[in-house]
Amino acid sequence: MHSLFHFAFHVTDLDEARRFYGGTLGCQEGRSTDTWVDFDFFSHQISLHLGEPFKTSLTGHVGDHLVPMPHFGLVLQKADWQRLAERLQAAGMAFVVAPHLRFAGQPGEQWTMFFMDPFGNPIEVKGFASLNTVYAS
């Protein structure tokens, strides 16, 4: 079975959302109305609707970090992750958790970074040498 993930959430300004998701992240815009806009979020569909963003807090314990919960994100091949990390660093992204290697030498070894969109929605991006190891234990 092949599927795409769809996630709809709130933002407070569609033009700012276009600048961030389309410009900073490089996502292609899809359909839109006066109250929402879709983006191709690395081959998955996100729908940004005008409204109050969900509340988050730094309560997720992962390694030595407290991470924002809830959050969403994606898993990339390491090379794609590195390109995105470089793009975000060049754009001056203020990271919640800066790009780094986590679980080095262990099953599930991954590169990770956390950042917020302009509306406070937390995003995690993970990078794996092989996507076959995402669920390794």
Side-chain angles (χ1 to χ4, degrees):
M1 180 186 316
H2 184 267
S3 64
L4 299 176
F5 185 76
H6 165 78
F7 182 50
F9 56 98
H10 286 140
V11 299
T12 57
D13 183 314
L14 295 180
D15 289 331
E16 181 67 18
R18 285 180 168 102
R19 285 188 291 276
F20 181 76
Y21 287 94
T24 303
L25 293 182
C27 299
Q28 184 174 345
E29 184 173 331
R31 294 172 294 158
S32 66
T33 70
D34 292 342
T35 62
W36 59 266
V37 60
D38 282 347
F39 283 96
D40 176 341
F41 185 72
F42 304 88
S43 298
H44 300 283
Q45 183 191 45
I46 56 172
S47 297
L48 313 181
H49 292 255
L50 288 175
E52 187 63 33
F54 54 85
K55 297 196 182 313
T56 64
S57 60
L58 294 174
T59 57
H61 295 268
V62 181
D64 297 330
H65 298 279
L66 283 175
V67 299
M69 295 296 292
H71 63 265
F72 75 101
L74 67 144
V75 178
L76 299 172
Q77 293 277 43
K78 183 181 172 188
D80 294 329
W81 181 92
Q82 288 173 317
R83 281 190 288 279
L84 181 59
E86 290 167 2
R87 179 184 186 122
L88 293 173
Q89 288 167 326
M93 177 60 65
F95 291 95
V96 175
V97 177
H100 72 282
L101 178 63
R102 175 165 68 184
F103 311 127
Q106 301 175 44
E109 177 180 278
Q110 60 192 261
W111 292 86
T112 189
M113 59 182 149
F114 277 86
F115 53 92
M116 302 284 207
D117 76 3
F119 317 100
N121 295 308
I123 302 169
E124 177 183 19
V125 181
K126 299 177 181 184
F128 284 81
S130 169
L131 296 183
N132 293 330
T133 64
V134 170
Y135 301 106
S137 58

